[in-house]
Amino acid sequence: QKHLIRLSVLSSLSSILDTMPGATTGTVLISDPLNFWGGKRVKPMQEKNTEPVFEPATGKCCRLVRYMVPCGAEEVDEAIKSAHAAYLQWRKMAGMERARVMLEAARIIRERREKIAKLEVINNGKSITEALVDIDVAWQCIEYYAGLAGTLAGQHIQLPGGSFAYTRREPLGVCVGIGAWNYPFQIASWKSAPALACGNAMVFKPSPMTPVTAVILAEIYKEAGVPDGLFCVVQGGADTGTLLCQHPKVAKVSFTGSVPTGKKVMEMSAKGVKQVTLELGGKSPLLIFKDCELENAVKGALMANFLTQGEVCCNGTRVYVQREIMPQFLEKVVKRTKAIPVGDPLLDGTRMGALISKPHLEKVLGFVSQAKKEGAKVLCGGEPIVPSDPNLKGGYFMAPCVLDNCRDDMTCVKEEIFGPVMSVLPFDTEEEVIGRANNTTFGLASGVFTRDISRAHRVAENLEAGTCFINNYNISPVEVPFGGYKMSGFGRENGQVTIEYYSQLKTVVVEMGDVDSLF
């Protein structure tokens, strides 16, 4: 029995999430407004330039929310003014006061994790198993920065004659977060948690393809006790993003997405001399040496390529395997790849759900076709899948793919595919493979599997990437910084250092004697 869930505009957060246990793929309908400022959901001023939202698992115009209505200039201005008013209250609160509110938000998310995860799956297409982890990472992030909120402090500097100076770590003001569609709720949390801990407000724009769960986070923050307007959500695409980046009351922009869009965000923000954090694309190398523990290396390669249907910016999609163990590696990795259960993302047994959209699925399949034309050999997968469930026949599913016989000059090795496609390449020596691994404009992540501890740290030092995983891959605890080198961006998310990207230092100089004037 499938339950059609109709939610009125007046529905509360709890009633929306309370419907989730009975929901199944292709059955959920939400009619609530998806904008949020001033402490409440806000209807669009006018419904024009609407964009259809599709449910990845069914391929149908999403019953969850049929259309995304972008915010115009007046709505963006309203949201930012609401955020600024809240910021003026929030910045005056002690760090421990802010921490208590944030801890309550983390508690609410933890309590409702299963329901939020299910809503995320319906809108995004990833498996429920992964979505539950994403929601856990979200509340852990908020909890972590709540712990740091009360520790923010300056420095005292003694000067001659009893004079002194001190520094104050102060918030920036209204920050803008622009999210991606692969981790909608988690990215909203990653950006808002450090911003709020430092005393800022945030206006967040989710991807137009995944507009649903950011507003849930906004309602949770309100329920936890933040001032109305402290975390606002505006829906929209590139035009709305432009309005946010160019608004004079915005102090900082944090963007997650592609390199071309990141360049535009940086250019627009530069006109107002706004601080920018960019978390952009990647084509990360994974180096597997012959002395590795092979079973772990195979599992690491799968984690490096097939999480969230391969739609992960830091994936290790260039898998360099030392020539002596290449046959054994390929045999094991192909066997395990073929065994990945692909299908309804709401089923507990599913390990790979649907890609985000039909155009994106076609783009990924196009990369596989191009790879074959350039001489790569498809060892498994790389074709569309039609699940047996008739409700899923239009979904954006594909079989995870392993490519052999790859070369560094192939398109599949040079360009970010953002899908479940692993390119495997042989290498002979450490020096050779480091040079090949670094021969890219990207620098988001990297990985190495080896039992040689000296080699592990030597390789980590020489790889040009913001993260290097040793004997594992795609492990991102909220305590450690995440961000890129080169064209993968700059600035960091997570970890203690991110406090510096959401605050500014003021120096106060105090003279205790008479002024020694030259005039």
Side-chain angles (χ1 to χ4, degrees):
Q1 176 68 38
K2 292 181 177 177
H3 308 282
L4 177 61
I5 301 165
R6 296 187 178 275
L7 304 171
S8 71
V9 172
L10 299 176
S11 294
S12 66
L13 163 65
S14 59
S15 68
I16 292 169
L17 293 182
D18 285 346
T19 62
M20 284 297 105
T24 56
T25 300
T27 67
V28 179
L29 175 64
I30 290 179
S31 55
D32 291 26
L34 297 175
N35 298 316
F36 193 96
W37 58 80
K40 62 183 184 299
R41 293 191 184 228
V42 182
K43 286 184 179 180
M45 288 183 176
Q46 46 187 324
E47 299 203 8
K48 63 179 185 179
N49 301 321
T50 59
E51 295 184 27
V53 179
F54 294 92
E55 185 170 357
T58 65
K60 298 172 183 175
C61 193
C62 194
R63 297 191 64 84
L64 181 66
V65 48
R66 289 186 181 279
Y67 295 99
M68 186 281 300
V69 184
C71 287
E74 191 175 345
E75 291 159 304
V76 166
D77 191 55
E78 270 191 22
I80 291 173
K81 284 178 178 175
S82 171
H84 190 262
Y87 154 71
L88 295 177
Q89 296 178 55
W90 186 248
R91 68 170 297 175
K92 295 294 185 184
M93 293 169 65
M96 287 296 288
E97 292 176 305
R98 295 198 293 265
R100 280 192 289 272
V101 176
M102 293 178 68
L103 286 171
E104 176 63 8
R107 185 198 65 78
I108 295 169
I109 294 169
R110 187 164 59 245
E111 186 180 84
R112 300 171 189 167
R113 64 187 286 270
E114 290 86 0
K115 297 171 183 177
I116 300 170
K118 201 163 187 180
L119 196 60
E120 188 90 314
V121 168
I122 293 167
N123 195 197
N124 166 272
K126 70 171 64 186
S127 73
I128 187 66
T129 305
E130 283 194 49
L132 285 165
V133 174
D134 294 353
I135 306 308
D136 285 341
V137 170
W139 68 253
Q140 288 164 12
C141 182
I142 295 169
E143 192 172 79
Y144 173 75
Y145 283 106
L148 290 180
T151 70
L152 304 184
Q155 183 182 18
H156 178 275
I157 302 100
Q158 192 65 45
L159 299 176
S163 296
F164 61 94
Y166 64 91
T167 59
R168 291 170 48 90
R169 186 161 291 282
E170 299 184 347
L172 300 172
V174 176
C175 301
V176 161
I178 300 177
W181 46 258
N182 54 348
Y183 289 88
F185 193 87
Q186 182 179 300
I187 289 174
S189 302
W190 275 20
K191 293 187 186 302
S192 61
L196 270 55
C198 291
N200 303 289
M202 175 163 278
V203 178
F204 187 80
K205 188 194 81 64
S207 163
M209 288 192 280
T210 51
V212 176
T213 50
V215 72
I216 299 293
L217 179 61
E219 290 180 313
I220 288 172
Y221 276 135
K222 175 180 169 60
E223 186 178 344
V226 304
D228 287 350
L230 193 73
F231 181 78
C232 303
V233 177
V234 296
Q235 301 293 341
D239 290 345
T240 306
T242 298
L243 292 168
L244 290 166
C245 292
Q246 294 179 342
H247 198 285
K249 270 195 163 62
V250 168
K252 175 193 171 73
V253 179
S254 177
F255 170 80
T256 298
S258 69
V259 173
T261 306
K263 289 178 179 178
K264 292 175 185 175
V265 167
M266 190 174 175
E267 183 182 352
M268 290 185 292
S269 301
K271 293 176 182 176
V273 198
K274 304 179 194 303
Q275 295 192 33
V276 177
T277 292
L278 298 178
E279 197 275 278
L280 308 179
K283 191 68 184 178
S284 301
L286 173 57
L287 281 51
I288 298 176
F289 286 87
K290 63 184 179 183
D291 68 344
C292 71
E293 205 296 305
L294 189 58
E295 286 295 328
N296 277 335
V298 169
K299 289 189 284 186
L302 295 168
M303 290 293 287
N305 280 270
F306 299 138
L307 286 176
T308 309
Q309 302 76 244
E311 299 162 324
V312 182
C313 51
C314 53
N315 270 359
T317 52
R318 292 185 291 144
V319 180
Y320 291 95
V321 181
Q322 202 153 20
R323 201 175 300 274
E324 291 90 331
I325 61 167
M326 177 69 97
Q328 303 97 292
F329 174 83
L330 287 175
E331 180 185 354
K332 290 177 179 290
V333 86
V334 168
K335 182 180 178 181
R336 292 188 67 137
T337 300
K338 286 179 175 178
I340 294 172
V342 181
D344 189 337
L346 283 177
L347 298 180
D348 289 338
T350 297
R351 286 297 173 269
M352 185 175 290
L355 277 71
I356 190 66
S357 69
K358 186 174 183 180
H360 186 64
L361 172 62
E362 291 171 347
K363 179 182 175 184
V364 174
L365 295 172
F367 272 109
V368 176
S369 298
Q370 180 70 19
K372 288 193 283 188
K373 289 177 185 175
E374 293 178 11
K377 182 181 179 183
V378 177
L379 298 184
C380 66
E383 71 278 346
I385 287 180
V386 180
S388 56
D389 184 345
N391 192 39
L392 307 178
K393 66 180 180 181
Y396 314 131
F397 299 95
M398 72 171 283
C401 178
V402 177
L403 296 175
D404 186 20
N405 202 35
C406 297
R407 303 183 311 274
D408 289 337
D409 62 350
M410 286 180 171
T411 305
C412 64
V413 177
K414 293 191 299 182
E415 296 185 18
E416 186 175 33
I417 297 175
F418 222 62
V421 181
M422 178 194 301
S423 299
V424 185
L425 306 96
F427 76 91
D428 293 301
T429 69
E430 178 184 323
E431 183 181 10
E432 165 220 337
V433 76
I434 288 173
R436 292 167 64 192
N438 288 335
N439 186 23
T440 174
T441 58
F442 295 111
L444 191 53
S446 58
V448 55
F449 275 82
T450 177
R451 285 192 179 99
D452 184 332
I453 189 169
S454 296
R455 172 187 283 143
H457 292 288
R458 188 168 61 240
V459 169
E461 177 187 356
N462 285 293
L463 287 172
E464 297 167 356
T467 297
C468 183
F469 301 100
I470 295 176
N471 293 332
N472 210 328
Y473 206 95
N474 271 340
I475 305 300
S476 298
V478 297
E479 302 94 326
V480 299
F482 177 77
Y485 281 14
K486 300 192 277 191
M487 289 182 73
S488 289
F490 52 80
R492 290 295 180 267
E493 296 189 303
N494 293 342
Q496 193 169 343
V497 70
T498 301
I499 294 297
E500 297 178 19
Y501 294 100
Y502 282 98
S503 61
Q504 53 194 346
L505 277 183
K506 176 180 286 178
T507 299
V508 181
V509 182
V510 182
E511 176 59 62
M512 298 299 287
D514 295 327
V515 175
D516 185 10
S517 175
L518 293 175
F519 306 103

